[in-house]
Amino acid sequence: MRARPHGQAVAGSLNADLSRSLLALWRSTLSQPGHHQRYLCRVTRLSLLALQRKLDCSALADDPRFQHPGWQRPLQQRLLQLWQAWQQPLQQWLNELDIGEPERANLRWLLDQLSAASSPSNSLLNPQIIAATRQSRGANLRRGARNLLIDQLTQRPLAMPEADNQYRAGHELALSQGEVVLRQPSFELIHYTPVTEQQYSKPLLIIPPPINRYYLLDLTPATSLVQHALQQGMAVYLISWRNPNPSHCNWGLSHYVRACREALKQVLARSGSTQASLLGVCSGGILASLLAGWLQARDRAACLSALSLLITPLDARLQTDLQRLAGSATQQRLRRQVWRQGYLDERSLGSLFTWMKPEQLLWQPAVQRYALGEALPSSPVHTWSHDNTRLPAQLVEDLLDLLTRDPLSRPGSLQIDGAHIDLTRLSVPSWHLAAERDHIVPWHNALPAGRLGGDCQFTLCRGGHVQGLLCPPGQARAGYQSAPTDAQDTPESWASRSSLTEGSWWPAWTDWLARHSGDLQPAVHPLADPALGPAPGHYVHQL
């Protein structure tokens, strides 16, 4: 696992906004004393029920933290129910506070953190910890204390997995064969080797997010979306972004869109086709959309045959912790810090996503490493999720502007490389994917209704932000809803007429893409260049 720099940008930036929210809460105790008294009375009543083990905790039945049979013991049941007693009336108390919405959002995030931190599963009364301590005669606690000391001395953040070489890009991960056919200061372009004798004439250019490495899309042979597209006869090209350093601080949205434009130009030239399709993922979907918008503004969109956007927030009004953390004071301080460094460092970026799901990404690993004394599990997804990259200061600035202004909702209000972006003018057909349990891009924020022109097909799959993408054919419990969408659609109206299909969404996407990818022709193999090397390239390994 790669070492990380200090990473204090995000944490330090929260102080002013949280302080203002706590001050608003204190003032509400003076202006709404009855409201707080009612909450305390209800908590008291629920606590008395909890002490008698009569409080309903059915909401925790599927919580992985409480699956050990020891949680059914009287003491552990009382702990669980007391923990629930102060939380069950919490949302009503918070919603009825007479404070501003930004302060309420910050308090909601803070209370979520307190809830996760105070979970009984984090205490020594966790029956799993008790059982491990008895079985090992305390060896687990000694190992955990040693792990904690080592992590403190080495500044290893947030109970990260130990560094290991079990999963490495180009060895166990990112194994699809191909060649780097272009290397630019900000990206490498990979052309993948065909696995079929014939391929569709119109190539596919994949634009991954500049956050983390691209190989989530080519994780393992069994979970590779790249490999699936190749097997269906697609001619696949992919951008691998460089990990920026302070000298790249001025790389913003315009720079990344220009890079995508250059990659598209190369794809068209190398394939001999007049058209190509784009696939953008998450923030890479934003880049793909802006590229399509730029081409439309310049009357050059005819070179696009189709646009696929996966978990892409076309509606940037995200009601998530990511948005709650972006208060005005937080943004101002974050901007100062990233411009001082030249980038948002990878440790801060990783911490940001960790604090969005602390019960799963922070406290469960901490219990396992420090209380159970166990090594954290290693897996392809774990390896990828901790392989964070830096973000240039200008890109951070531009993404904060997207979150704040939501310029894509006002055609022409966003300017990229001298062109005013109006996605409603697009006529290229598009296919959209969202995940129903996505905590980063809620599915209704990915719905293109009213924001994108052309024929739009929207698909909602089971799973979360990452697991929704990793959905090869044969995946257990996979399924998706799908239906066309138009400018007047709401999430409710789309859902009411969508149809449910059991199984992976991958075949549905490639079937749709094939209809917009031209005729089959003899497959074109990439030309190897010893100076550039084979896939996965150089930039994916760059520290």
Side-chain angles (χ1 to χ4, degrees):
M1 202 64 61
R2 293 174 170 86
R4 284 169 168 74
H6 298 298
Q8 299 301 314
V10 173
S13 300
L14 291 174
N15 294 337
D17 281 318
L18 289 178
S19 297
R20 187 170 62 235
S21 300
L22 291 172
L23 179 60
L25 175 61
W26 178 79
R27 287 173 177 164
S28 76
T29 63
L30 303 178
S31 61
Q32 293 180 282
H35 175 63
H36 296 283
Q37 290 169 5
R38 286 189 295 274
Y39 170 72
L40 292 175
C41 288
R42 189 174 178 193
V43 169
T44 301
R45 288 196 302 271
L46 293 176
S47 297
L48 291 174
L49 289 174
L51 290 172
Q52 301 172 66
R53 292 190 291 152
K54 294 181 179 179
L55 191 65
D56 180 15
C57 287
S58 58
L60 301 177
D62 296 325
D63 194 316
R65 293 173 291 180
F66 308 115
Q67 297 306 303
H68 192 283
W71 287 110
Q72 301 307 314
R73 297 170 188 155
L75 176 59
Q76 276 74 16
Q77 268 294 297
R78 289 188 177 96
L79 276 176
L80 271 179
Q81 293 186 24
L82 283 170
W83 180 59
Q84 285 287 283
W86 67 270
Q87 292 184 76
Q88 287 185 2
L90 196 60
Q91 289 305 314
Q92 181 180 355
W93 168 79
L94 183 60
N95 290 336
E96 294 176 3
L97 282 177
D98 187 16
I99 58 177
E101 288 306 314
E103 288 75 22
R104 195 187 321 278
N106 284 330
L107 287 176
R108 181 172 287 112
W109 177 83
L110 182 59
L111 290 169
D112 287 345
Q113 304 305 314
L114 291 174
S115 172
S118 62
S119 168
S121 61
N122 301 335
S123 75
L124 292 177
L125 293 176
N126 182 335
Q128 189 177 5
I129 298 175
I130 294 173
T133 303
R134 284 176 178 168
Q135 185 177 359
S136 68
R137 298 183 178 182
N140 60 306
L141 297 178
R142 292 192 293 273
R143 290 193 303 269
R146 183 174 67 248
N147 289 340
L148 180 60
L149 178 62
I150 291 172
D151 289 355
Q152 290 295 314
L153 292 176
T154 59
Q155 296 186 338
R156 185 194 310 274
L158 303 172
M160 280 176 51
E162 295 278 4
D164 64 57
N165 294 317
Q166 184 175 356
Y167 297 104
R168 300 160 297 169
H171 296 271
E172 295 77 23
L173 311 175
L175 290 177
S176 293
Q177 298 296 306
E179 299 291 336
V180 176
V181 295
L182 177 69
R183 179 173 295 134
Q184 295 281 294
S186 56
F187 74 94
E188 291 175 329
L189 181 64
I190 298 172
H191 180 191
Y192 286 102
T193 303
V195 298
T196 56
E197 292 185 0
Q198 290 187 314
Q199 287 186 317
Y200 290 99
S201 60
K202 299 177 183 179
L204 169 67
L205 172 61
I206 300 178
I207 304 176
I211 301 170
N212 281 34
R213 315 284 176 164
Y214 82 82
Y215 59 83
L216 180 65
L217 304 173
D218 187 29
L219 197 61
T220 67
T223 59
S224 171
L225 185 61
V226 167
Q227 196 61 221
H228 176 76
L230 289 168
Q231 291 167 356
Q232 306 311 307
M234 303 299 164
V236 181
Y237 294 76
L238 180 143
I239 291 174
S240 174
W241 296 111
R242 179 177 187 167
N243 194 9
N245 61 49
S247 68
H248 307 134
C249 62
N250 290 314
W251 288 3
L253 281 176
S254 289
H255 174 90
Y256 280 90
V257 172
R258 281 196 299 273
C260 294
R261 202 164 72 229
E262 176 60 26
L264 177 60
K265 177 182 174 183
Q266 291 290 326
V267 167
L268 293 173
R270 292 173 182 276
S271 66
S273 175
T274 58
Q275 284 190 315
S277 60
L278 301 178
L279 168 63
V281 181
C282 196
S283 55
I286 293 293
L287 297 178
S289 302
L290 296 179
L291 171 59
W294 187 91
L295 291 170
Q296 179 67 47
R298 292 290 188 259
D299 294 323
R300 292 163 56 182
C303 68
L304 299 180
S305 63
L307 176 64
S308 302
L309 301 178
L310 310 185
I311 54 175
T312 296
L314 291 173
D315 181 349
R317 299 167 298 178
L318 302 176
Q319 295 302 310
T320 66
D321 288 337
L322 189 63
Q323 181 75 323
R324 291 167 194 159
L325 296 177
S328 58
T330 299
Q331 288 194 34
Q332 187 176 17
R333 184 168 179 176
L334 181 60
R335 284 183 168 102
R336 288 198 301 267
Q337 293 188 358
V338 297
W339 279 110
R340 190 179 303 124
Q341 289 182 273
Y343 55 80
L344 178 63
D345 64 79
E346 56 265 59
R347 178 170 168 180
S348 290
L349 194 59
S351 298
L352 175 63
F353 291 109
T354 295
W355 287 109
M356 291 179 71
K357 294 190 75 173
E359 70 286 350
Q360 177 182 334
L361 301 179
L362 174 61
W363 295 110
Q364 287 188 59
V367 167
Q368 185 169 357
R369 182 164 171 79
Y370 303 138
L372 299 176
E374 299 174 352
L376 295 178
S378 183
S379 70
V381 173
H382 275 93
T383 299
W384 172 83
S385 65
H386 286 90
D387 197 4
N388 304 116
T389 57
R390 297 177 287 272
L391 283 184
Q394 186 60 57
L395 184 59
V396 173
E397 185 96 38
D398 292 344
L399 292 176
L400 287 174
D401 180 66
L402 278 177
L403 288 173
T404 304
R405 291 197 304 119
D406 187 26
L408 296 181
S409 65
R410 299 183 301 279
S413 65
L414 179 64
Q415 189 170 338
I416 296 291
D417 243 10
H420 292 277
I421 303 300
D422 181 359
L423 298 183
T424 63
R425 293 182 55 209
L426 287 174
S427 58
V428 61
S430 58
W431 195 94
H432 304 258
L433 177 79
E436 60 184 12
R437 296 199 307 274
D438 196 328
H439 66 290
I440 297 175
V441 182
W443 73 266
H444 54 268
N445 291 97
L447 189 70
R451 290 175 177 253
L452 204 68
D455 294 331
C456 302
Q457 182 77 15
F458 186 71
T459 298
L460 177 62
C461 70
R462 294 171 187 157
H465 191 74
V466 172
Q467 292 303 327
L469 288 175
L470 300 178
C471 188
Q475 179 82 3
R477 297 183 297 278
Y480 60 92
Q481 297 168 249
S482 187
T485 182
D486 56 41
Q488 286 72 44
D489 258 335
T490 64
E492 295 76 18
S493 66
W494 173 86
S496 68
R497 68 171 192 279
S498 64
S499 58
L500 176 63
T501 303
E502 297 294 331
S504 168
W505 58 266
W506 287 13
W509 169 63
T510 47
D511 286 348
W512 176 88
L513 185 60
R515 296 195 294 272
H516 302 284
S517 296
D519 299 323
L520 287 170
Q521 63 181 24
V524 177
H525 287 252
L527 297 176
D529 185 338
L532 298 175
H538 172 68
Y539 285 170
V540 74
H541 300 292
Q542 200 170 45
L543 296 177

